[in-house]
Amino acid sequence: LKQITKEVASKGHVPSVHGDHSSDMLGCGFFKLWVTGRFDDMGYPRPQFDADQGAKAVENAGGVIEMHHGSHAEKVVYINLVENKTLEPDEDDQRFIVDGWAAGKFGLDVPKFLIAAAATVEMLGGPKKAKIVIPSISPAQIAEALQGRGWDAEIVTDASMAGQLVDVRPEGILKCVDGRGSDNTRMGGPKMPGGIYAIAHNRGVTSIEGLKQITKEVASKGHLPSVHGDHSSDMLGCGFFKLWVTGRFDDMGYPRPQLDADQGAN
């Protein structure tokens, strides 16, 4: 449990457990169900510690203990699949909130995680009513849009990419989608056309000052901002930036940058 607490912190979150004012640390219904064997028939072994020991272990490893108040009055369960987004609780309009995307971030079996969450709500007498929050554009819509441009596009599952999909790492640069070799070895960051140029392009930011602000924003969100060149064209070796600065996106309504490739890189 201490190691999981440290893992959660290393991935940019504040780890926590909770109790409540009526049952102390057994006020967490999920833990009470787990420690009393209500998940036995689902194949989950019981914890080898009690609620107080678990809370103390999390706290000693750098986590937070929160105490809830009031009674359960949840009307619905939100299952959120929008990555890096969440909903905030409202004690005057209660809902259970399950961030399904977070299970994937920690390498959990997502369907198994969601079934356990559903079983928890059922055993606590909660509502068997769910709203599943998904991104506003579906994989099928993306594939259809690409196929409309003459692409051969297919949808593959994360399971089919096992061994290739890796956790995004803070030391990995937010880099271009370019598949060529690089003098950089920190490949574990997000991939966007032109690196951070993609953000400026999408927002219509064309100034050096605007680019500097985006660079700081990327860093503040836990990533290493980057742009790239290549050994044949120097900083114009980024094809995305070259298309942008030479007006190839003009007919799509994107203004050209008010900087050249060297100025942008600097």
Side-chain angles (χ1 to χ4, degrees), residues 50-204:
D50 62 30
D52 292 324
Q53 290 171 325
K56 185 58 66 176
V58 170
E59 186 176 43
N60 288 342
V64 169
I65 298 173
E66 61 169 338
M67 299 301 287
H68 291 187
H69 58 260
S71 301
H72 281 288
E74 291 87 356
K75 306 180 189 71
V76 65
V77 181
Y78 279 89
I79 299 172
N80 173 38
L81 303 179
V82 182
E83 191 171 358
N84 293 321
K85 298 289 185 182
T86 192
L87 296 145
E88 294 189 338
D90 179 354
E91 63 180 303
D92 297 321
D93 186 17
Q94 293 185 30
R95 61 257 180 107
F96 287 108
I97 302 162
V98 181
D99 283 320
W101 63 267
K105 183 170 185 175
F106 292 98
L108 308 185
D109 181 321
V110 177
K112 187 177 179 182
F113 168 83
L114 293 176
I115 292 300
T120 300
V121 172
E122 293 164 11
M123 288 189 281
L124 293 176
K128 295 176 73 172
K129 178 181 179 181
K131 292 187 177 183
I132 302 167
V133 186
I134 62 171
S136 57
I137 184 168
S138 70
Q141 287 173 308
I142 296 171
E144 184 179 352
L146 292 173
Q147 289 162 355
R149 296 180 67 88
W151 288 48
D152 176 9
E154 63 177 313
I155 298 170
V156 298
T157 65
D158 55 352
S160 72
M161 300 290 289
Q164 297 186 61
L165 284 173
V166 299
D167 290 335
V168 171
R169 298 185 291 275
E171 68 272 16
I173 62 172
L174 188 153
K175 74 180 299 299
C176 186
V177 299
D178 195 320
R180 294 178 290 173
S182 173
D183 57 0
N184 164 69
T185 58
R186 296 173 293 179
M187 299 294 192
K191 314 298 187 294
M192 304 176 78
I196 70 164
Y197 285 141
I199 300 173
H201 180 262
N202 186 270
R203 292 178 179 172

Side-chain angles (χ1 to χ4, degrees), residues 1-18:
L1 190 64
K2 290 179 180 177
Q3 290 303 313
I4 290 171
T5 302
K6 293 175 182 176
E7 178 189 357
V8 169
S10 74
K11 292 190 175 182
H13 304 293
V14 179
S16 81
V17 292
H18 83 88

